[in-house]
Amino acid sequence: MWVVATAGHVDHGKSTLVRALTGMEPDRWAEERRRGMTIDLGFAWTTLPSGGTLAFVDVPGHERFVPNMLAGVGPVPAALIVVGADEGWMPQSAEHLAALDALGVSHGLLAVTRADLADPAPAMTRARQEIAGTSLGEVEAVAVSAVTGAGLPELRAALDRLVARLPDPARDAPLRLWVDRAFTVRGSGTVVTGTLGGGRLRVGDELELAATDEPVRVRGLHSLGVARTEVDAVARVAVNLRGLARDRVGRGDALLSPGRFGRTDLLDVRLTGDPAADLPATLMLHVGSAAVPARVRPLGPDTVRLRLARPLPLLIGDRALLRDPGRHHVAGGVTVLDVDPPPLRRRGAAAARAGVLAGLDGRPDLAGELRRRRLVRAGQLRRMGVPATASPVVGDWLADPEHWRDLGRRLAEEVTRHAGEHPLAAGVPVDVLRHRLGLPDRVLVTALLRPPLRLRDGLVTAATAGTLPEPVARAVARVRAEYGDRPFQAPETHHLAGLGLGPREIGAAVRAGALLKLAENVVLLPGAPDDAARVLAGLPQPFTLSAARQALGTTRRVAVPLLELLDRRGVTRRLPDDAREVVRPPG
């Protein structure tokens, strides 16, 4: 299926032409049929000569209903521009064309209607000149009369050629269905309709409602009046949603693939149309079927920041338009450059931001986003429309390679600086390093660790750190002098304190390898375990705790934790009767 929207001035025969092509009545309201004027969106479809199906979104032409027109045109890839031969180019012809140009619609066809009432040549010549200067460029034109039927076969053939040129839809893309109608069907509940421009819909799919983030499930699908189990883009679809009240959804909302879209009320865009400096403070942003007031802040000659009255599910590269409803004027089209822009708090920040935006073209760029954001979660990038194909540094965190290397260097510097400022500290707490490096997640700190840095008990230290402050080194030297010839005797706590070795000093000495802490208040010189193994290897095997204590000339307070350390190291083995034997004598 293909979908084409009509466009053109009021009373130039858009609906009449659709009726003649399809045999269907596009005007849904009795008021529309009574007045002979389209007020809201209409829908009809036909089979083309090639056998393909073409659906029309018929839009109103009156200036009062331009928002309705834009809701229908927004998600549609091509347009049928209708100009009456008897009136020629008119104001709404120009505004509709400006809207198509602003939205970047590049495929279209011109139908000059009412060829039975006037010579179509002048109207056709003028219309083609106007269209040629827009995103549509040179278009094929057909003169037609819906009353006499003249030109209808040629128009059908031209429509066939038009849809053959349309690009293939991205059927594997995340789904974003802009809602253009919502109503209730007795016995079924809430139904919404829209133009499926990309992706695939299936009965049973769970989706997200953009306005509220609430999950909704597809209960049923219809396309062109026929029930379906699955619909591929591009297509007109009606979606029956399970368990959703009618007042929870309306035109301008969207159904989304779960987790694939963010919602933003702040975005930076590139403007084509009026100069940014000439824009009023508030305009209406039209995108998809949504129309949202936007406050405008110019940044550069053609870049602006928009703050929306409500969040929308937008992606980098989306096309939209800005319109001044008071003047019935399309201010210009916009290309979304950033859906998560940085705040502008400092003096000169807007000018600096304009410089950054000058280098963006609205195409998702992973390397560029990493360079600008430095650290970002992969899911956040995907919700911005950027393929997150890089390898994470940890979890789902992606990093700019140069920034990541710089963080590693700074981390080592911070650990060294902290050790110099706090020589007795066991290391730097991870959260302190996270704060100093400005990291959003503590797991990034641990991911940055490289030898000789290491993490232990939530503290980061350098494995090579071993230099003790001079007072501590002198105290350890006195312990070595006093206990060097009696290595299995542990100094009492009060004696260590008298030497200047309190808990923090002992901790620093233990980390430096200058002392060995066997247990609370049990400190030996670091060579004691090897010396003990040599003594115990000379005992008759196996041996008891009492025999070990006597051989080592120490107390039970020292012997018990010393033997347990040798057990853990695999030097001794404890037997079922609590005796031990040496299984790995010292080399």
Side-chain angles (χ1 to χ4, degrees):
M1 182 195 307
W2 299 280
V3 182
V4 170
T6 63
H9 193 75
V10 63
D11 204 30
H12 276 202
K14 296 185 295 299
S15 298
T16 302
L17 183 60
V18 170
R19 197 177 298 117
L21 288 169
T22 66
M24 302 174 68
E25 175 57 68
D27 287 337
R28 296 178 289 110
W29 296 4
E31 175 69 10
E32 292 178 305
R33 293 190 290 273
R34 185 183 67 79
R35 295 169 60 179
M37 182 177 73
T38 301
I39 297 172
D40 204 352
L41 302 178
F43 310 98
W45 57 91
T46 188
T47 300
L48 294 173
S50 64
T53 301
L54 175 62
F56 291 97
V57 179
D58 187 35
V59 307
H62 197 282
E63 65 179 9
R64 286 185 295 163
F65 306 119
V66 168
N68 291 349
M69 174 268 181
L70 293 173
V73 169
V76 173
L80 174 62
I81 302 172
V82 177
V83 177
D86 53 339
E87 290 189 339
W89 195 254
M90 295 290 284
Q92 288 311 113
S93 307
E95 186 171 10
H96 282 204
L97 179 61
L100 295 172
D101 184 37
L103 291 169
V105 177
S106 56
H107 295 84
L109 177 64
L110 171 63
V112 178
T113 57
R114 302 186 177 186
D116 55 318
L117 300 180
D119 179 5
M124 183 178 294
T125 300
R126 169 73 186 280
R128 294 188 75 177
Q129 289 173 347
E130 296 285 348
I131 296 169
T134 70
S135 59
L136 289 157
E138 298 289 340
V139 297
E140 187 175 356
V142 179
V144 64
S145 170
V147 175
T148 68
L152 285 178
E154 291 81 1
L155 181 57
R156 291 178 181 276
L159 286 167
D160 236 340
R161 290 189 290 273
L162 170 66
V163 298
R165 297 194 300 272
L166 294 179
D168 292 331
R171 294 189 173 90
D172 58 347
L175 184 136
R176 179 177 52 179
L177 178 70
W178 292 100
V179 174
D180 51 40
R181 289 179 65 208
F183 52 91
T184 301
V185 174
R186 186 183 298 275
S188 296
T190 300
V191 175
V192 301
T193 68
T195 299
L196 182 63
R200 175 179 291 117
L201 262 175
R202 299 183 181 89
V203 172
D205 280 353
E206 185 171 287
L207 305 172
E208 289 177 355
L209 192 61
T212 60
D213 283 352
E214 61 188 291
V216 294
R217 190 171 294 278
V218 177
R219 180 181 182 182
L221 282 174
H222 278 72
S223 183
L224 306 186
V226 178
R228 317 273 185 178
T229 59
E230 180 178 305
V231 178
D232 285 340
V234 171
R236 285 294 303 173
V237 292
V239 188
N240 181 202
L241 299 173
R242 176 177 284 118
L244 182 69
R246 164 64 187 86
D247 60 3
R248 302 287 289 170
V249 63
R251 176 174 292 174
D253 208 335
L255 299 178
L256 310 172
S257 294
R260 295 303 301 272
F261 291 84
R263 283 73 161 175
T264 181
D265 61 359
L266 190 70
L267 55 151
D268 289 345
V269 302
R270 171 156 289 113
L271 173 71
T272 56
D274 296 351
D278 294 344
L279 296 178
T282 302
L283 290 170
M284 191 69 71
L285 179 77
H286 294 266
V287 57
S289 62
V292 179
R295 291 193 61 81
V296 179
R297 178 177 181 177
L299 299 176
D302 64 347
T303 52
V304 298
R305 174 160 293 188
L306 302 177
R307 183 169 295 276
L308 309 182
R310 64 179 175 89
L312 292 176
L314 300 178
L315 301 175
I316 292 172
D318 278 343
R319 292 297 299 263
L321 69 84
L322 288 170
R323 182 173 180 267
D324 186 343
R327 293 189 295 151
H328 302 288
H329 170 66
V330 174
V334 299
T335 301
V336 177
L337 302 179
D338 195 342
V339 294
D340 185 21
L344 303 176
R345 298 194 182 101
R346 298 178 180 176
R347 187 178 183 86
R353 180 62 177 164
V356 173
L357 296 177
L360 304 184
D361 58 8
R363 286 181 291 189
D365 172 23
L366 176 60
E369 291 297 333
L370 292 179
R371 189 167 56 252
R372 288 184 291 276
R373 299 179 188 277
R374 298 188 171 190
L375 286 167
V376 63
R377 291 186 183 275
Q380 181 183 353
L381 285 180
R382 281 191 290 270
R383 288 189 293 273
M384 295 164 56
V386 180
T389 54
S391 298
V393 293
V394 63
D396 68 341
W397 283 102
L398 304 181
D400 172 61
E402 184 176 347
H403 180 59
W404 189 247
R405 287 191 293 271
D406 183 60
L407 284 172
R409 177 188 59 77
R410 289 173 54 201
L411 177 67
E413 291 175 352
E414 288 293 341
V415 173
T416 301
R417 184 167 69 86
H418 188 274
E421 295 173 352
H422 308 279
L424 299 180
V428 196
V430 169
D431 281 328
V432 170
L433 289 171
R434 183 187 68 80
H435 176 73
R436 289 184 178 178
L437 296 178
L439 298 175
D441 193 330
R442 69 196 317 268
V443 300
L444 293 166
V445 176
T446 57
L448 283 166
L449 295 180
R450 299 289 184 273
L453 301 182
R454 64 183 179 185
L455 177 67
R456 182 175 181 181
D457 298 328
L459 300 174
V460 177
T461 187
T464 56
T467 302
L468 291 171
E470 184 59 29
V472 179
R474 285 199 304 268
V476 170
R478 290 185 61 182
V479 172
R480 190 177 297 112
E482 291 184 27
Y483 292 88
D485 57 351
R486 41 190 182 134
F488 312 118
Q489 301 220 350
E492 296 292 337
T493 302
H494 64 84
H495 183 53
L496 291 171
L499 296 174
L501 293 174
R504 296 180 68 229
E505 288 78 10
I506 291 173
V510 169
R511 290 190 296 274
L515 291 177
L516 172 68
K517 187 175 183 178
L518 283 181
E520 193 66 32
N521 300 325
V522 180
V523 176
L524 298 179
L525 293 173
D530 288 343
D531 292 341
R534 280 189 285 270
V535 172
L536 296 175
L539 292 176
Q541 307 291 313
F543 55 87
T544 64
L545 172 62
S546 178
R549 182 180 59 77
Q550 292 177 13
L552 297 173
T554 190
T555 63
R556 182 182 178 87
R557 179 174 78 98
V558 174
V560 169
L562 181 56
L563 288 173
E564 290 175 346
L565 174 63
L566 293 175
D567 291 344
R568 292 193 298 272
R569 291 184 176 182
V571 175
T572 58
R573 179 171 57 205
R574 189 172 183 175
L575 303 176
D577 60 356
D578 284 341
R580 283 179 169 83
E581 61 183 355
V582 176
V583 294
R584 186 167 58 81

